[in-house]
Amino acid sequence: MTTTYRIAPSILSADFARLGEEVKSVIDAGADWIHFDVMDNHYVPNLTFGPMICQALKPHAKTASGLAVPIDVHLMISPVDALAASFADAGADLISFHPDASAHVHRSIQAIKSKGVKAGLVFNPAEPLDVLEWTIDEIDLILIMSVNPGFGGQGFIDSALRKIEHARKLIDASGKDIRLEVDGGIKADNIRRVADAGADTFVAGSAIFGKPDYKAVVDQMRQALG
């Protein structure tokens, strides 16, 4: 069975003064998803975007032919539930959160799903995957952080590869169609190693938005994925 790979540029590294144009440009370059990093200056030491920006960008998140491109919201916030509901109302297609940011992980997953939105769990570099034993049947996405969350432009933490392998085994054993996404330090020269570990969806921020030709970078990544 061939794997469908998805590239999800993170607008954390985009030009904030031109966000709508940036979203269109990166979709024209071949992005599959738009990754939306939400930080609250509480769970992580940075502050980024709220639901209103998601709502404003939603009309820009489509291909030239008018096909909608999923908005993949990664909540680095605590508490989770109220803002998750607001992002669902703002047009998010997938919403993932950190288990340690919610007092009741299962309830938070159910609240997201009740909005008709796909739900995911995110794991920091030093965080175990134990909670998946009790939640994997409920989720659509597992996001492995290969940097510590909070800032773009960090280097890939190699121990994440073992965690990706572990998560892939859990997904395969579950028999469910769950995306395995990786975020942090992804570039054309390491994306193949990350895919070989079991990932199928790749968040890239500065590797794409930091370059003059977005399509050239996305094409290099696709070529590496083969």
Side-chain angles (χ1 to χ4, degrees):
M1 195 172 74
T2 57
T3 303
T4 300
Y5 293 118
R6 292 171 176 82
I7 294 174
S10 166
I11 61 168
L12 184 64
S13 299
D15 180 349
F16 287 4
R18 300 171 42 249
L19 268 184
E21 291 171 51
E22 289 276 71
V23 167
K24 281 188 165 171
S25 295
V26 85
I27 290 170
D28 290 344
D32 299 293
W33 290 1
I34 296 297
H35 190 77
F36 201 95
D37 284 303
V38 182
M39 306 183 189
D40 65 356
N41 194 33
H42 166 70
Y43 181 74
V44 290
N46 199 358
L47 187 65
T48 58
F49 319 101
M52 285 190 295
I53 294 177
C54 180
Q55 188 172 20
L57 288 179
K58 183 71 175 176
H60 298 270
K62 55 187 177 189
T63 64
S65 63
L67 194 67
V69 172
I71 294 181
D72 170 34
V73 172
H74 170 199
L75 297 179
M76 288 164 270
I77 63 165
S78 179
V80 170
D81 295 2
L83 262 180
S86 296
F87 272 100
D89 292 339
D93 297 282
L94 307 100
I95 298 175
S96 52
F97 65 94
H98 293 252
D100 61 336
S102 170
H104 303 281
V105 174
H106 198 271
R107 181 183 291 161
S108 296
I109 293 168
Q110 286 178 317
I112 292 168
K113 302 272 278 190
S114 73
K115 290 278 196 177
V117 174
K118 292 183 175 177
L121 291 178
V122 192
F123 296 90
N124 287 329
E127 192 174 8
L129 300 177
D130 301 0
V131 71
L132 289 175
E133 183 178 353
W134 314 107
T135 57
I136 198 161
D137 289 335
E138 305 293 327
I139 59 175
D140 306 285
L141 171 77
I142 296 168
L143 173 52
I144 304 296
M145 295 301 297
S146 42
V147 297
N148 287 293
F151 299 94
Q154 300 181 69
F156 187 90
I157 295 172
D158 281 336
S159 61
L161 292 169
R162 293 203 314 276
K163 192 179 289 184
I164 295 161
E165 289 171 358
H166 183 192
R168 172 50 61 194
K169 286 175 182 164
L170 293 172
I171 291 169
D172 290 348
S174 78
K176 288 201 69 202
D177 180 22
I178 297 171
R179 300 271 69 74
L180 180 50
E181 186 172 29
V182 179
D183 181 359
I186 299 286
K187 296 180 169 61
D189 62 7
N190 67 4
I191 197 168
R192 182 71 250 171
R193 282 167 60 221
V194 180
D196 287 344
D200 54 47
T201 304
F202 308 89
V203 178
S206 53
I208 295 174
F209 285 109
K211 301 295 185 291
D213 186 345
Y214 301 165
K215 187 174 188 305
V217 181
V218 174
D219 287 350
Q220 281 176 348
M221 289 179 171
R222 295 234 188 263
Q223 196 170 7
L225 290 169

